[in-house]
Amino acid sequence: MFPFSDEELLGPVLQSINNVRPMLVKDGGDVEVVSIQNACVFVRFYGACNGCPSKHATLHNAILATLQRDIHPDIQVSEIH
């Protein structure tokens, strides 16, 4: 069982995502946290990130890795369109 409720995760998730955001904005994109359900953060990419072939790597190697490091190793992330 995950030690935090989805509501408790919102603030820390937004803070953590804000650490990744400058990298995305620099390349002409952005990311939005749409919802959190059962410790899975659902995000949507915008701008240049939306059609970028490296988006999957960014999702896992930057966003997921940052969330797991900053919050909890069992947190998950998924893109919605």
Side-chain angles (χ1 to χ4, degrees), residues 23-76:
M23 173 187 71
L24 303 176
V25 171
K26 180 181 173 188
D27 288 337
D30 204 354
V31 66
E32 169 193 25
V33 174
V34 176
S35 67
I36 303 171
Q37 298 172 11
N38 300 316
C40 183
V41 179
F42 292 89
V43 299
R44 180 177 290 128
F45 287 102
Y46 289 97
C49 290
N50 192 35
C52 178
S54 299
K55 159 171 75 168
H56 183 74
T58 299
L59 183 68
H60 286 74
N61 298 336
I63 295 173
L64 178 60
T66 300
L67 290 170
Q68 289 179 334
R69 181 194 70 225
D70 291 350
I71 300 170
H72 194 278
D74 292 334
I75 199 166
Q76 294 298 311

